[in-house]
Amino acid sequence: MLHCGIVGLPLSGKTTVFNVITRAGAEVKPYAGGKTDPNRAVVSVPDPRFDELVRVHQPKKETPAQVEFVDLAGLSRDASKGAGLGNGFLSFAAEADALIHVLRGFANGGVEHPEGSLDVHRDWKIVEMELIYRDLSVIENRLSRLNGKKKLLPEEEGEKALLLRCQDCLMEERSLRDLALAPEEARMLRGFTFLSAKPQILVLNLDEGQKGAADAPGGEALLRDAAAAGIRVLSLYGRLEMDLADLSPEEAAEFTEGLDITEPGRERLIAGAYGLLGLISFFTCGPDEVRAWTLREGATAVDAAGTIHSDLARGFIRAQVVAYDDYAAHGFAFPACREAGCLRLEGKDYRVADGDVIEIRFNV
């Protein structure tokens, strides 16, 4: 399961965004508390294909793809030096696969911004620097241990050289996302859980008077620099969309008339988080269960088999595969798809496509 950490400065509306995504009803306080335990909720990934498969097959059990969202405590300036919750926050963030960074674009006279003014570009950079400082600390600790050894093993020599490259990147105030790494190098660094290397979505938390990101103070600079860094920016009317969850679709449409809300914010964020790591879904269908399984893009049929159960990967023979659109076009039935020539037998090296409906043939 994908785990997404919601981060940002105190009073940016992180818990509001968490409630929009999860509908968990977590308490929203208009002040920066000392809370360290994060709010957690698991949500289903919206997918009309899965909904249709459930409607057609009427299974005893339905299991959609899921994402866990974790609402982390506010990250204060100088957290890497122990300010605010310090390393308590940073340890929680290290557990996340991806970061949802909430930036405050809304004004509220009753809740002063911790920096004294609104500037989403500045706020983004503050948090980015705290992540960079934390990663530098991790590298310095590891290099210190390596330098304390009289002789390094060949793999430790390679690790040291790579860490020095990472250190140079961070010292230039660039996140590790900017560093071009070979697959083997990325695997070597995986255990360090570097925060500045994690994929990230920026979420501008706006009020109804703002039409989009450019209306937020510092919004144009944020859009420019985020685009240059290849980071996606989403706008969300956090407080409004949290309140809309309690309304009927007709009432919600009336409240959002004239606003740039073509799709519920929770669906955009959940789908965006799911796609952030290049994840896809494949489906298994039957009278007992319809299930959406999560795979990384580029994974093979035997990887899909192993996702279902290790025995299926061990005894893999072939996979029966049909694309969702073909499956739907032929009555959601394998025999009809076989007659039409769109049901295929694939081997271990077949790269699974998003939406494939799969049945594994195996022998253990």
Side-chain angles (χ1 to χ4, degrees):
M1 185 189 300
L2 173 65
H3 300 267
C4 289
I6 302 176
V7 303
L9 293 177
L11 309 175
S12 58
K14 294 181 293 73
T15 301
T16 298
V17 171
F18 174 80
N19 284 334
V20 168
I21 297 172
T22 65
R23 296 174 178 165
E27 184 180 5
V28 178
K29 297 181 179 180
Y31 57 86
K35 174 179 173 294
T36 58
D37 293 332
N39 298 310
R40 296 176 180 269
V42 175
V43 299
S44 300
V45 177
D47 192 332
R49 301 170 302 183
F50 175 80
D51 297 338
E52 185 66 6
L53 290 171
V54 169
R55 186 192 69 78
V56 170
H57 289 283
Q58 296 289 304
K60 296 175 185 176
K61 181 180 180 182
E62 54 188 79
T63 309
Q66 295 181 317
V67 180
E68 182 183 44
F69 287 91
V70 184
D71 171 27
L72 302 170
L75 176 62
S76 303
R77 184 192 284 270
D78 294 330
S80 57
K81 301 175 184 177
L85 298 177
N87 290 327
F89 164 88
L90 297 170
S91 63
F92 281 127
E95 298 173 1
D97 298 309
L99 301 179
I100 310 296
H101 185 173
V102 179
L103 298 161
R104 177 175 169 177
F106 66 89
N108 184 336
V111 182
E112 185 179 358
H113 190 288
E115 293 294 315
S117 64
L118 295 178
D119 187 330
V120 294
H121 184 261
R122 174 204 62 207
D123 294 351
W124 176 40
K125 293 300 183 183
I126 289 173
V127 172
E128 283 285 278
M129 287 307 303
E130 292 306 317
L131 303 185
I132 286 172
Y133 292 148
R134 182 269 185 185
D135 289 349
L136 273 172
S137 175
V138 171
I139 289 175
E140 288 166 1
N141 288 338
R142 179 55 180 163
L143 287 176
S144 176
R145 289 196 292 272
L146 290 174
N147 289 333
K149 293 189 173 185
K150 292 182 178 180
K151 183 175 177 60
L152 297 180
L153 299 172
E155 58 268 26
E156 291 175 326
E157 291 282 6
E159 178 188 347
K160 180 178 178 180
L162 179 56
L163 289 176
L164 288 171
R165 275 179 59 202
C166 292
Q167 186 180 53
D168 289 343
C169 176
L170 295 169
M171 290 297 290
E172 295 171 359
E173 298 187 355
R174 295 189 297 123
S175 72
L176 293 179
R177 288 186 301 272
D178 296 341
L179 196 61
L181 295 173
E184 181 56 37
E185 291 175 326
R187 282 192 292 272
M188 192 182 302
L189 295 178
R190 194 170 295 160
F192 291 100
T193 63
F194 287 131
L195 300 183
S196 72
K198 293 183 182 293
Q200 184 177 143
I201 292 177
L202 303 181
V203 177
L204 285 182
N205 191 10
L206 306 176
D207 61 37
E208 302 92 293
Q210 297 166 304
K211 298 300 182 185
D215 281 356
E220 291 185 355
L222 176 74
L223 291 173
R224 180 195 65 228
D225 288 355
I231 298 175
R232 186 178 180 187
V233 179
L234 296 177
S235 295
L236 186 76
Y237 301 102
R239 174 62 69 173
L240 173 65
E241 297 213 34
M242 186 173 70
D243 294 340
L244 290 177
D246 298 326
L247 302 179
S248 68
E250 295 76 17
E251 291 172 321
E254 182 179 341
F255 271 89
T256 57
E257 186 175 356
L259 295 176
D260 184 24
I261 302 179
T262 56
E263 181 184 15
R266 72 179 304 270
E267 294 190 8
R268 286 186 288 124
L269 275 172
I270 294 170
Y274 191 67
L276 190 58
L277 293 178
L279 301 176
I280 62 172
S281 289
F282 73 92
F283 305 105
T284 54
C285 305
D288 291 330
E289 183 180 25
V290 168
R291 182 160 183 166
W293 302 86
T294 300
L295 273 184
R296 290 195 181 273
E297 192 171 2
T300 64
V302 75
D303 293 326
T307 300
I308 299 171
H309 197 284
S310 59
D311 284 349
L312 271 66
R314 185 162 53 90
F316 183 93
I317 300 173
R318 287 283 187 273
Q320 287 196 113
V321 182
V322 60
Y324 173 83
D325 288 344
D326 290 331
Y327 190 53
H330 294 88
F332 298 93
F334 271 16
C337 293
R338 185 179 295 108
E339 289 179 14
C342 55
L343 182 66
R344 311 182 307 278
L345 284 177
E346 301 287 0
K348 289 184 176 181
D349 296 331
Y350 168 72
R351 294 180 63 176
V352 178
D354 184 47
D356 277 350
V357 181
I358 296 179
E359 185 178 279
I360 303 297
R361 294 181 177 179
F362 72 105
N363 182 32
V364 176

